[in-house]
PDB file of all heavy atoms in Angstrom:
ATOM      1  N   PHE P  50      92.723 -66.294 112.412  1.00  0.00           N
ATOM      2  CA  PHE P  50      92.424 -64.678 112.438  1.00  0.00           C
ATOM      3  C   PHE P  50      91.232 -64.568 113.460  1.00  0.00           C
ATOM      4  O   PHE P  50      91.283 -63.638 114.205  1.00  0.00           O
ATOM      5  CB  PHE P  50      91.877 -64.258 110.969  1.00  0.00           C
ATOM      6  CG  PHE P  50      91.744 -62.737 110.854  1.00  0.00           C
ATOM      7  CD1 PHE P  50      93.002 -61.995 110.880  1.00  0.00           C
ATOM      8  CD2 PHE P  50      90.553 -62.214 110.789  1.00  0.00           C
ATOM      9  CE1 PHE P  50      93.027 -60.628 110.906  1.00  0.00           C
ATOM     10  CE2 PHE P  50      90.385 -60.808 110.710  1.00  0.00           C
ATOM     11  CZ  PHE P  50      91.614 -60.049 110.656  1.00  0.00           C
ATOM     12  N   ILE P  58      88.510 -64.466 128.810  1.00  0.00           N
ATOM     13  CA  ILE P  58      88.116 -63.744 130.058  1.00  0.00           C
ATOM     14  C   ILE P  58      87.660 -64.927 131.118  1.00  0.00           C
ATOM     15  O   ILE P  58      86.794 -65.743 130.746  1.00  0.00           O
ATOM     16  CB  ILE P  58      87.141 -62.673 129.951  1.00  0.00           C
ATOM     17  CG1 ILE P  58      87.721 -61.458 129.203  1.00  0.00           C
ATOM     18  CG2 ILE P  58      86.725 -62.103 131.254  1.00  0.00           C
ATOM     19  CD1 ILE P  58      86.705 -60.461 128.871  1.00  0.00           C
ATOM     20  N   LYS P  59      88.206 -64.862 132.337  1.00  0.00           N
ATOM     21  CA  LYS P  59      87.694 -65.519 133.455  1.00  0.00           C
ATOM     22  C   LYS P  59      87.000 -64.715 134.365  1.00  0.00           C
ATOM     23  O   LYS P  59      87.355 -63.637 134.595  1.00  0.00           O
ATOM     24  CB  LYS P  59      88.904 -66.301 134.221  1.00  0.00           C
ATOM     25  CG  LYS P  59      89.507 -67.447 133.513  1.00  0.00           C
ATOM     26  CD  LYS P  59      90.491 -67.998 134.546  1.00  0.00           C
ATOM     27  CE  LYS P  59      91.014 -69.336 133.849  1.00  0.00           C
ATOM     28  NZ  LYS P  59      91.907 -70.092 134.810  1.00  0.00           N
ATOM     29  N   LYS P  62      82.299 -66.392 140.303  1.00  0.00           N
ATOM     30  CA  LYS P  62      80.973 -66.431 140.657  1.00  0.00           C
ATOM     31  C   LYS P  62      80.646 -65.040 141.185  1.00  0.00           C
ATOM     32  O   LYS P  62      81.307 -64.519 141.898  1.00  0.00           O
ATOM     33  CB  LYS P  62      80.632 -67.555 141.608  1.00  0.00           C
ATOM     34  CG  LYS P  62      79.217 -67.649 141.992  1.00  0.00           C
ATOM     35  CD  LYS P  62      79.015 -68.733 143.117  1.00  0.00           C
ATOM     36  CE  LYS P  62      77.523 -68.746 143.454  1.00  0.00           C
ATOM     37  NZ  LYS P  62      77.124 -69.758 144.466  1.00  0.00           N
ATOM     38  N   GLU P  76      80.452 -59.274 122.325  1.00  0.00           N
ATOM     39  CA  GLU P  76      79.657 -60.412 122.002  1.00  0.00           C
ATOM     40  C   GLU P  76      80.498 -61.562 122.594  1.00  0.00           C
ATOM     41  O   GLU P  76      81.660 -61.631 122.571  1.00  0.00           O
ATOM     42  CB  GLU P  76      79.622 -60.630 120.398  1.00  0.00           C
ATOM     43  CG  GLU P  76      78.722 -61.657 119.931  1.00  0.00           C
ATOM     44  CD  GLU P  76      78.569 -61.630 118.557  1.00  0.00           C
ATOM     45  OE1 GLU P  76      79.524 -61.939 117.728  1.00  0.00           O
ATOM     46  OE2 GLU P  76      77.319 -61.317 118.002  1.00  0.00           O
ATOM     47  N   ILE P  79      80.353 -68.702 125.518  1.00  0.00           N
ATOM     48  CA  ILE P  79      80.705 -69.184 126.847  1.00  0.00           C
ATOM     49  C   ILE P  79      81.362 -70.612 126.723  1.00  0.00           C
ATOM     50  O   ILE P  79      80.823 -71.561 126.169  1.00  0.00           O
ATOM     51  CB  ILE P  79      79.330 -69.519 127.713  1.00  0.00           C
ATOM     52  CG1 ILE P  79      78.640 -68.088 127.665  1.00  0.00           C
ATOM     53  CG2 ILE P  79      79.658 -69.980 129.065  1.00  0.00           C
ATOM     54  CD1 ILE P  79      77.214 -68.227 128.213  1.00  0.00           C
ATOM     55  N   LYS P  85      73.485 -64.993 134.056  1.00  0.00           N
ATOM     56  CA  LYS P  85      72.076 -64.557 134.106  1.00  0.00           C
ATOM     57  C   LYS P  85      72.098 -63.067 133.422  1.00  0.00           C
ATOM     58  O   LYS P  85      73.105 -62.380 133.771  1.00  0.00           O
ATOM     59  CB  LYS P  85      71.459 -64.427 135.288  1.00  0.00           C
ATOM     60  CG  LYS P  85      71.880 -63.475 136.389  1.00  0.00           C
ATOM     61  CD  LYS P  85      71.154 -63.388 137.681  1.00  0.00           C
ATOM     62  CE  LYS P  85      71.674 -62.560 138.666  1.00  0.00           C
ATOM     63  NZ  LYS P  85      70.931 -62.395 139.890  1.00  0.00           N
ATOM     64  N   ASP P  91      63.110 -49.582 138.582  1.00  0.00           N
ATOM     65  CA  ASP P  91      63.364 -48.512 139.385  1.00  0.00           C
ATOM     66  C   ASP P  91      63.319 -48.836 140.944  1.00  0.00           C
ATOM     67  O   ASP P  91      63.755 -48.060 141.732  1.00  0.00           O
ATOM     68  CB  ASP P  91      62.199 -47.480 139.064  1.00  0.00           C
ATOM     69  CG  ASP P  91      62.442 -47.015 137.669  1.00  0.00           C
ATOM     70  OD1 ASP P  91      63.635 -47.068 137.161  1.00  0.00           O
ATOM     71  OD2 ASP P  91      61.496 -46.428 136.978  1.00  0.00           O
ATOM     72  N   PHE P 102      74.425 -70.640 129.092  1.00  0.00           N
ATOM     73  CA  PHE P 102      75.358 -71.651 129.506  1.00  0.00           C
ATOM     74  C   PHE P 102      76.435 -72.050 128.522  1.00  0.00           C
ATOM     75  O   PHE P 102      76.409 -71.442 127.517  1.00  0.00           O
ATOM     76  CB  PHE P 102      74.532 -72.917 129.754  1.00  0.00           C
ATOM     77  CG  PHE P 102      73.312 -72.636 130.879  1.00  0.00           C
ATOM     78  CD1 PHE P 102      72.110 -72.538 130.390  1.00  0.00           C
ATOM     79  CD2 PHE P 102      73.612 -72.526 132.157  1.00  0.00           C
ATOM     80  CE1 PHE P 102      71.015 -72.318 131.218  1.00  0.00           C
ATOM     81  CE2 PHE P 102      72.639 -72.273 133.078  1.00  0.00           C
ATOM     82  CZ  PHE P 102      71.246 -72.142 132.668  1.00  0.00           C
ATOM     83  N   PRO P 118      74.107 -47.197 125.424  1.00  0.00           N
ATOM     84  CA  PRO P 118      74.417 -47.822 126.928  1.00  0.00           C
ATOM     85  C   PRO P 118      73.658 -49.184 127.039  1.00  0.00           C
ATOM     86  O   PRO P 118      72.609 -49.466 126.607  1.00  0.00           O
ATOM     87  CB  PRO P 118      73.671 -46.776 127.802  1.00  0.00           C
ATOM     88  CG  PRO P 118      73.877 -45.632 127.006  1.00  0.00           C
ATOM     89  CD  PRO P 118      73.606 -45.905 125.591  1.00  0.00           C
ATOM     90  N   LYS P 124      75.731 -61.292 134.658  1.00  0.00           N
ATOM     91  CA  LYS P 124      76.499 -61.665 135.888  1.00  0.00           C
ATOM     92  C   LYS P 124      76.822 -63.318 135.826  1.00  0.00           C
ATOM     93  O   LYS P 124      75.946 -64.004 135.524  1.00  0.00           O
ATOM     94  CB  LYS P 124      75.676 -61.367 137.101  1.00  0.00           C
ATOM     95  CG  LYS P 124      76.312 -61.519 138.276  1.00  0.00           C
ATOM     96  CD  LYS P 124      75.401 -61.051 139.474  1.00  0.00           C
ATOM     97  CE  LYS P 124      76.049 -61.026 140.902  1.00  0.00           C
ATOM     98  NZ  LYS P 124      75.047 -60.512 141.902  1.00  0.00           N
ATOM     99  N   ALA P 163      64.910 -66.645 119.820  1.00  0.00           N
ATOM    100  CA  ALA P 163      64.904 -66.954 121.153  1.00  0.00           C
ATOM    101  C   ALA P 163      64.095 -65.949 122.027  1.00  0.00           C
ATOM    102  O   ALA P 163      63.362 -66.138 122.884  1.00  0.00           O
ATOM    103  CB  ALA P 163      66.352 -66.997 121.719  1.00  0.00           C
ATOM    104  N   LYS P 174      52.060 -69.389 128.454  1.00  0.00           N
ATOM    105  CA  LYS P 174      52.353 -70.529 129.212  1.00  0.00           C
ATOM    106  C   LYS P 174      52.234 -70.120 130.679  1.00  0.00           C
ATOM    107  O   LYS P 174      52.755 -69.083 130.968  1.00  0.00           O
ATOM    108  CB  LYS P 174      53.684 -71.209 128.901  1.00  0.00           C
ATOM    109  CG  LYS P 174      53.720 -71.707 127.368  1.00  0.00           C
ATOM    110  CD  LYS P 174      54.992 -72.407 127.037  1.00  0.00           C
ATOM    111  CE  LYS P 174      54.966 -72.923 125.671  1.00  0.00           C
ATOM    112  NZ  LYS P 174      56.196 -73.313 125.283  1.00  0.00           N
ATOM    113  N   ASN P 198      66.656 -66.531 141.514  1.00  0.00           N
ATOM    114  CA  ASN P 198      66.855 -66.242 140.095  1.00  0.00           C
ATOM    115  C   ASN P 198      65.797 -66.972 139.329  1.00  0.00           C
ATOM    116  O   ASN P 198      65.195 -66.388 138.299  1.00  0.00           O
ATOM    117  CB  ASN P 198      68.162 -66.607 139.667  1.00  0.00           C
ATOM    118  CG  ASN P 198      69.286 -65.716 140.042  1.00  0.00           C
ATOM    119  OD1 ASN P 198      69.034 -64.459 140.210  1.00  0.00           O
ATOM    120  ND2 ASN P 198      70.494 -66.123 140.422  1.00  0.00           N
ATOM    121  N   VAL P 205      57.447 -65.313 138.969  1.00  0.00           N
ATOM    122  CA  VAL P 205      56.619 -65.733 140.132  1.00  0.00           C
ATOM    123  C   VAL P 205      57.356 -65.426 141.395  1.00  0.00           C
ATOM    124  O   VAL P 205      58.489 -65.348 141.450  1.00  0.00           O
ATOM    125  CB  VAL P 205      56.099 -67.342 140.052  1.00  0.00           C
ATOM    126  CG1 VAL P 205      55.436 -67.563 138.720  1.00  0.00           C
ATOM    127  CG2 VAL P 205      57.385 -68.163 140.077  1.00  0.00           C
ATOM    128  N   HIS P 207      59.089 -66.406 145.077  1.00  0.00           N
ATOM    129  CA  HIS P 207      59.775 -67.497 145.594  1.00  0.00           C
ATOM    130  C   HIS P 207      58.901 -68.672 146.208  1.00  0.00           C
ATOM    131  O   HIS P 207      59.144 -69.744 145.878  1.00  0.00           O
ATOM    132  CB  HIS P 207      60.884 -66.971 146.573  1.00  0.00           C
ATOM    133  CG  HIS P 207      61.771 -68.075 147.154  1.00  0.00           C
ATOM    134  ND1 HIS P 207      62.788 -68.632 146.526  1.00  0.00           N
ATOM    135  CD2 HIS P 207      61.774 -68.535 148.533  1.00  0.00           C
ATOM    136  CE1 HIS P 207      63.431 -69.355 147.247  1.00  0.00           C
ATOM    137  NE2 HIS P 207      62.759 -69.446 148.392  1.00  0.00           N
TER     138      HIS P 207
END
Side-chain angles (χ1 to χ4, degrees):
F50 195 70
I58 295 177
K59 283 185 174 188
K62 181 179 180 176
E76 189 172 66
I79 304 168
K85 69 176 177 177
D91 292 339
F102 304 103
K124 187 177 188 179
K174 295 179 181 174
N198 287 326
V205 299
H207 180 74

